[in-house]
Amino acid sequence: MTTQLHEPDNLVKFLDGSVANYPDRPLFGTKNAQGVYEWISYAQVGRRVNNLRAGLAGLGVGRDDAVGIIANNRLEWAVGAFASFGLGDRGRLDKDGFLHITGRINEQFKLENGKFVFPASLEEDICLVPFVENAMIFGEGKEYTVCLVVPDPLALEKYAAENNLPADTEELIQTQEIRDRISRAITESLRGKYGSYEIPKKFIYITENFSLENGTLTQTMKVKRRIVLERYRKEIEALYTR
């Protein structure tokens, strides 16, 4: 019998999803000297895990290294375990010294020239561009990256009304003017922040957003990259033959 695993399929993703969905709920309780339990929330545990993970990474501990945790049944053991499980994540420290996870190392891909691309941070920045609701970067083993773009229908409708263009989103996104406008905005927003090899050279525009209903999102609202890639493989491959 074959058992199929669904997201979240590991403890790191399980904790990440729980922190995102239940930040204020109590997670661990520790009995104080008076015998009363003091509780800390999912969000507090998540911050401790991220901070310890950053510290371990700063010491040079990485993916596949052995980490031994010797402790009795206590909060610090759980924090240490989750921090160790997640080593190999990609992140950044803000000006206050807090760690922000920007992607998973196992989500990176290598271009034909041998350079690595971390798609998650690119996608986050692309989604900040006006007219863009969602985006996904591809390019593994290719000469350059390409981008699948889901335009923001409300922004498109507003632009159409202001410029006497067709109000239908499906029709509007087929116009070269709109595609060129969004493509230029994406490229300009990434220039100077990312290497030229990371910035997508070509774009695909679709109107169906990623969702639980169409099977492209996990229960924790993360995009299923492999599913999206398979669904639009022909269109993506076509970009490299034009």
Side-chain angles (χ1 to χ4, degrees), residues 66-202:
V67 177
I69 302 173
I70 302 174
N72 55 8
N73 186 15
R74 56 191 296 160
L75 170 62
E76 288 76 11
W77 190 97
V79 170
F82 276 107
S84 302
F85 298 154
L87 285 169
D89 290 344
R90 183 173 186 257
R92 63 176 177 83
L93 291 174
D94 64 20
K95 60 183 178 62
D96 297 315
F98 289 99
L99 175 69
H100 299 267
I101 301 299
T102 58
R104 306 293 184 198
I105 293 298
N106 61 6
E107 289 179 349
Q108 71 180 348
F109 59 79
K110 185 189 291 187
L111 294 173
E112 185 181 72
N113 60 13
K115 293 185 177 181
F116 285 96
V117 174
F118 295 88
S121 54
L122 278 161
E123 291 157 359
E124 288 178 6
D125 284 338
I126 291 172
C127 288
L128 297 176
V129 174
F131 298 110
V132 176
E133 184 166 6
N134 228 323
M136 183 165 284
I137 296 289
F138 301 95
E140 183 171 6
K142 302 296 186 181
E143 182 181 353
Y144 51 82
T145 62
V146 298
C147 184
L148 183 71
V149 179
V150 182
D152 182 342
L154 295 179
L156 286 179
E157 289 173 9
K158 181 181 178 182
Y159 181 82
E162 293 172 348
N163 293 273
N164 297 317
L165 294 172
D168 181 71
T169 304
E170 292 276 359
E171 183 179 353
L172 193 60
I173 199 56
Q174 298 305 318
T175 63
Q176 197 61 46
E177 176 193 349
I178 294 297
R179 293 187 174 205
D180 289 345
R181 175 180 287 271
I182 299 175
S183 299
R184 283 196 303 269
I186 291 173
T187 301
E188 290 170 4
S189 72
L190 301 178
R191 189 175 291 129
K193 187 174 182 180
Y194 294 92
S196 59
Y197 65 92
E198 296 175 287
I199 299 174
K201 302 294 188 294
K202 296 182 180 180

Side-chain angles (χ1 to χ4, degrees), residues 225-241:
R225 293 185 177 276
R226 282 178 292 182
I227 298 296
V228 175
L229 175 60
E230 286 304 315
R231 186 165 298 181
Y232 297 100
R233 183 178 293 278
K234 288 183 179 180
E235 292 87 343
I236 293 168
E237 291 296 335
L239 293 180
Y240 293 100
T241 59

